[in-house]
Amino acid sequence: MTETTSTFDATAPSFDQYRALPPGVPEAIRTAIFRGVHQQMRVLDLGAGTGRIGKPFVAANDAYVGLDSSWAMLREFLASSPAACLLQSDGQQLPFADGAFDVVMLMQVLSGAQDWKALLLEVRRVLRPGGVVVEGHTTTPPAGVDAQLKRRLSEILREMGVAWHEPQKARRESLAWLEVSAGHRSQVRAASWIAERTPQEFLVRHRTGARFAALPAAVQEEALQKLSVWAEATFGPLDKPYSEEHAFELEIFEF
Ligand SMILES: C[S@@+](CC[C@H](N)C(=O)[O-])C[C@H]1O[C@@H](n2cnc3c(N)ncnc32)[C@H](O)[C@@H]1O
């Protein structure tokens, strides 16, 4: 692996601390992907990151390759999973032959992809005919603490004149594109759990978000200060915990 820069480099050391999935959830995701499959599948985990979801595949000795443009994210993966087959590369120029994989996983990648169309064209190229693309993401209730704070933060940044991408728009558009070219689309809820959230945790965690952390420090401070005032007026004490149901959902496209 070579050291190049990515917006995820800064967030890599704290990614697992703030964004870990509950025990058993990564294993449930693997089980859901392989349900009904009896032969070994060649799996590409594009945007594998710190291995939050890839580690059970490595532990089970699957034909798994984790690829990411961030060397720092992969270094975290390798530190806890030395047997992992990992590659640093841009997903828009994959170093694989046509049809090299049976399954390509895109876990929490499309919403932040710089050019989702270029990425998906490469995904299609390395997928064998009849192969499967699995997109995965965490869902939270629209009225929950995390979702409300995320929406309000986007509004604040827009009011401040900050060019802020719309993650859900990119995800929606890319899934629609996949649906048009796929033969079949299905949705699977791989796991759900009750998460305890406080507004304070969101404020702390968001500082470490890859795109937010790339904004100028003064912009980050002003936005979080405004969000903190709004959160206190909306939720009361910032350390008050709220229970909400989170889930990990898969969109499965068969080609
Ligand atoms: C939100 S993280 C998710 C990591 C992992 N899939 C997970 O769910 O824990 C998104 C990852 O996608 C990677 N990524 C984004 N665009 C990429 C691209 N064009 N090529 C390769 N990796 C990319 C980032 O570097 C980052 O590690």
Side-chain angles (χ1 to χ4, degrees):
M1 291 189 280
T2 54
E3 204 156 345
T4 55
T5 54
S6 147
T7 48
F8 274 88
D9 289 353
T11 207
S14 62
F15 188 87
D16 287 346
Q17 180 188 348
Y18 291 114
R19 291 165 179 82
L21 293 166
V25 171
E27 288 77 7
I29 293 170
R30 176 180 175 274
T31 301
I33 292 174
F34 286 158
R35 188 156 292 138
V37 171
H38 302 295
Q39 76 276 30
Q40 190 167 63
M41 305 282 262
R42 298 160 301 170
V43 178
L44 172 64
D45 185 4
L46 201 168
T50 59
R52 197 173 60 140
I53 292 164
K55 281 176 202 165
F57 292 81
V58 178
N61 228 0
D62 293 327
Y64 168 94
V65 177
L67 177 141
D68 204 288
S69 48
S70 167
W71 177 77
M73 293 290 271
L74 291 178
R75 191 174 48 192
E76 298 292 323
F77 193 160
L78 209 53
S80 58
S81 215
C85 174
L86 303 178
L87 208 68
Q88 184 195 12
S89 176
D90 183 354
Q92 294 180 34
Q93 288 180 308
L94 293 170
F96 305 114
D98 296 359
F101 293 95
D102 303 297
V103 178
V104 179
M105 307 198 308
L106 293 161
M107 300 294 176
Q108 309 255 168
V109 172
L110 289 175
S111 57
Q114 282 192 334
D115 182 348
W116 60 259
K117 188 112 181 251
L119 196 70
L120 291 183
L121 285 170
E122 267 299 80
V123 166
R124 288 286 286 114
R125 185 185 65 74
V126 302
L127 193 70
R128 72 157 165 83
V132 173
V133 173
V134 185
E135 187 272 347
H137 58 277
T138 303
T139 60
T140 64
V145 173
D146 279 6
Q148 286 198 57
L149 284 164
K150 217 181 263 182
R151 278 199 300 274
R152 183 63 197 136
L153 181 60
S154 291
E155 286 168 11
I156 288 171
L157 288 167
R158 231 174 292 127
E159 286 159 15
M160 287 168 62
V162 177
W164 190 239
H165 83 305
E166 294 179 65
Q168 289 318 316
K169 182 166 174 269
R171 197 177 144 261
R172 255 195 330 271
E173 288 176 356
S174 48
L175 293 184
W177 188 91
L178 279 169
E179 181 162 16
V180 167
S181 43
H184 184 255
R185 174 181 181 171
S186 56
Q187 292 171 317
V188 172
R189 178 171 272 223
S192 62
W193 62 95
I194 300 298
E196 287 258 299
R197 295 305 221 214
T198 70
Q200 184 62 34
E201 282 161 1
F202 180 94
L203 292 163
V204 172
R205 188 173 65 247
H206 217 78
R207 277 185 191 282
T208 70
R211 279 165 296 281
F212 187 76
L215 293 173
V219 171
Q220 294 182 40
E221 283 313 317
E222 186 181 337
L224 288 179
Q225 176 56 29
K226 287 180 169 165
L227 186 62
S228 172
V229 170
W230 180 85
E232 209 153 8
T234 306
F235 299 107
L238 295 180
D239 58 357
K240 184 173 165 195
Y242 292 84
S243 292
E244 45 187 69
E245 189 183 35
H246 289 196
F248 202 93
E249 293 188 349
L250 304 176
E251 300 277 350
I252 302 177
F253 299 89
E254 291 166 45
F255 287 87

